[in-house]
Amino acid sequence: MRTSFEEFLVETLGAPAESFPCALGVRVRLARNLAGMPFPCRADAAVRSAAAEKIAAAAERLPAFGDAFRFDVPLLSAPRRNFLVERHFISPDLDGAGSGVLISRFRDAALMFNEEDHLRLQVFAGGNDFGAAWAKAREIDRALAETLDFAFSEKYGFLTSCPTNAGTGLRISVMLHLPGFVMEGQMEKILRALDAVGLTARGCFGEDSETRGCIFQISNEHTLGISEAETLALMRRWTDDIVEQELAARRRIFARERGRFADRIARAYGTLRFAVALSSDEATELLSLLRAACDANLFPAGTRERVDELLLETGSAHIACRASLRGEFCDAERENLLRGRMFRETLSAVRPPRFPDFLK
C-alpha cells in the first residue's frame, strides 16, 4: 500500500485517455455495509475508523488492489481532495472520521470508506464498456465477501444507509456527451423518457452537480426489486438508443446549420489555442464544441483523445496540483493563466479545423 500523494499525482497526470464517440466512460458502483456495525451516519469516530481498517485490510489482500494507494481524506488539502473528486475516485461529500479511499495501481477501481455507507466499491472502464466494468466489480465484491460479513436481508437484499440503494446496491453510470440534443432543445424530452424507465441524468459529478459542456451522467435509479443482470441490460439498451439518437441529431444540425456550426468550431479552436487566460467553465464549453467537431471528422485522427485529456486535466484541482508539483503558487487568477498556457502548448500540435466539404 502506498500513501504518497505526490507519487500518485506523477503516475496519474498525463495518463493516456480512452476516447469514444459520445461516451466518455462507465462507472459501476456497489454500496455495502458491515453487519453488526452502525452505519456511518450513526457511528462515532472509533466505529467509523474500525470499519475502514477492516475493509482496507481485506481489500489490500486482493490482486486488484496490489500496490494500491490509500489516502485519509480529512488529512488532504482542498486541492488534493478536489483532484480525487475530478477523477471520480471520491464523492464531494466524503469527509469526517474514518473517511478515505483506496485506489488501484491502474486507477480502474477504488474503494471509498465511510461515505453514506461503510464501503462504496467503484470500477471504471472507457467508453460504454459496461461488461468489463461489471465483471471486475462483481469479482472484487465476491472476493471481499469471503472475509467481510455484509449487512444483508433476505427480504431487502443488501442494507444501505439510504433506502434507494438497498437491494443490489448497484449503480451503473455512463458519462455521455450530448451536444446534439442540447442544440436541438431535446434534453427535457430525453430526461422525461429516462425517468419513465427508471433512469436519471445528472451533471458530471452526480447528484446536485451542474451540467457543463453538454456532458451528462446517466444512471439507474432503482436497486430494489431489479436484478444486476436486468440493470445492466437496461443501461446497455438505453445508452445505445441515446447514442444513436444523439448522432442523428448532430447530422441534422450539420445539414441545417453548416456555416454557423463551422464558425462556432473555428472560434472555439481559436480561443483555446491563443487565449492567455481561461476559466474552467469557459474551457469546458469550448472543448465540448471541439469534441463534437472531432466526431464530425473536422480534426485529424487522435484529436478527440487530446480533447478528452484536456477536459479532465484542466479542471481547477488538476491545475492546482500540477502547479504544486512544480512548486508554483496558484490562486484563482494564476489558475486561469496556467490553464491558458496548457491549452496553447497542447493545441499547438493540433492543426486548425478544416472544412473541405463541410461548407459546400
Side-chain angles (χ1 to χ4, degrees):
M1 179 188 69
R2 293 180 284 173
T3 58
S4 168
F5 205 89
E6 288 78 6
E7 184 180 358
F8 174 73
L9 285 175
V10 169
E11 290 190 14
T12 304
L13 288 170
E18 293 184 89
S19 186
F20 302 84
C22 297
L24 284 86
V26 164
R27 181 191 67 177
V28 169
R29 192 207 73 193
L30 290 169
R32 300 288 186 261
N33 285 284
L34 300 180
M37 300 182 76
F39 291 171
C41 59
R42 302 294 297 273
D44 59 25
V47 171
R48 288 166 60 95
S49 296
E53 293 305 320
K54 189 171 184 178
I55 295 167
E60 288 163 8
R61 291 193 290 267
L62 304 183
F65 288 98
D67 201 27
F69 290 92
R70 183 180 176 186
F71 304 115
D72 294 324
V73 170
L75 302 181
L76 297 177
S77 65
R80 292 183 171 190
R81 186 181 305 189
N82 290 333
F83 180 93
L84 297 178
V85 172
E86 288 180 358
R87 286 269 166 174
H88 300 282
F89 292 130
I90 68 173
S91 72
D93 299 325
L94 185 63
D95 199 6
S99 64
V101 63
L102 190 70
I103 303 171
S104 68
R105 176 185 177 187
F106 299 107
R107 273 80 70 194
D108 60 348
L111 298 179
M112 277 195 295
F113 310 130
N114 291 310
E115 195 224 31
E116 280 189 356
D117 300 292
H118 292 140
L119 167 63
R120 290 283 178 90
L121 164 63
Q122 301 183 101
V123 173
F124 310 94
N128 60 349
D129 195 351
F130 296 105
W134 167 237
K136 188 175 184 68
R138 181 173 54 185
E139 177 186 357
I140 295 173
D141 182 49
R142 289 176 175 175
L144 289 172
E146 292 180 3
T147 55
L148 298 174
D149 184 16
F150 292 135
F152 186 83
S153 162
E154 291 297 330
K155 182 177 181 180
Y156 297 111
F158 291 101
L159 302 179
T160 55
S161 292
C162 182
T164 59
N165 291 317
T168 62
L170 172 64
R171 194 80 64 187
I172 301 177
S173 304
V174 59
M175 206 78 73
L176 295 179
H177 181 223
L178 305 175
F181 286 144
V182 173
M183 291 179 192
E184 287 201 325
Q186 293 192 58
M187 277 312 302
E188 284 299 322
K189 182 179 74 173
I190 297 299
L191 294 176
R192 289 195 298 270
L194 291 173
D195 184 65
V197 297
L199 301 179
T200 188
R202 299 186 173 100
C204 297
F205 301 108
E207 193 170 1
D208 298 325
S209 65
E210 294 181 359
T211 299
R212 297 191 304 165
C214 304
I215 297 172
F216 297 83
Q217 181 177 272
I218 311 295
S219 60
N220 60 296
E221 282 197 279
H222 305 301
T223 60
L224 185 63
I226 181 172
S227 70
E228 292 93 339
E230 289 170 330
T231 300
L232 190 63
L234 180 69
M235 285 296 299
R236 278 175 169 159
R237 182 170 65 251
W238 274 86
T239 297
D240 288 346
D241 188 50
I242 288 172
V243 168
E244 182 180 344
Q245 292 186 50
E246 163 66 19
L247 293 176
R250 294 187 196 182
R251 288 192 293 271
R252 290 193 297 271
I253 292 169
F254 298 162
R256 186 174 63 240
E257 304 177 29
R258 286 180 182 272
R260 179 170 173 268
F261 183 75
D263 183 63
R264 292 183 66 187
I265 297 303
R267 289 173 183 270
Y269 172 84
T271 301
L272 292 171
R273 172 67 180 85
F274 296 106
V276 173
L278 285 163
S279 70
S280 178
D281 286 349
E282 182 183 14
T284 300
E285 296 300 327
L286 295 175
L287 282 171
S288 175
L289 285 168
L290 259 60
R291 197 178 198 279
C294 291
D295 290 344
N297 298 317
L298 301 184
F299 285 97
T303 304
R304 190 175 61 229
E305 285 78 1
R306 293 194 179 192
V307 169
D308 286 353
E309 289 167 9
L310 286 167
L311 275 167
L312 183 62
E313 298 208 1
T314 56
S316 295
H318 278 68
I319 297 290
C321 286
R322 193 185 295 273
S324 72
L325 285 177
R326 298 192 297 259
E328 296 181 8
F329 172 73
C330 186
D331 60 7
E333 182 179 0
R334 180 65 176 164
E335 175 197 319
N336 290 344
L337 290 170
L338 290 173
R339 183 178 292 107
R341 184 174 75 185
M342 187 173 181
F343 276 109
R344 292 195 304 276
E345 292 174 350
T346 302
L347 294 182
S348 65
V350 176
R351 68 158 172 76
R354 293 180 180 175
F355 311 102
D357 301 315
F358 203 70
L359 297 177
K360 290 182 179 179

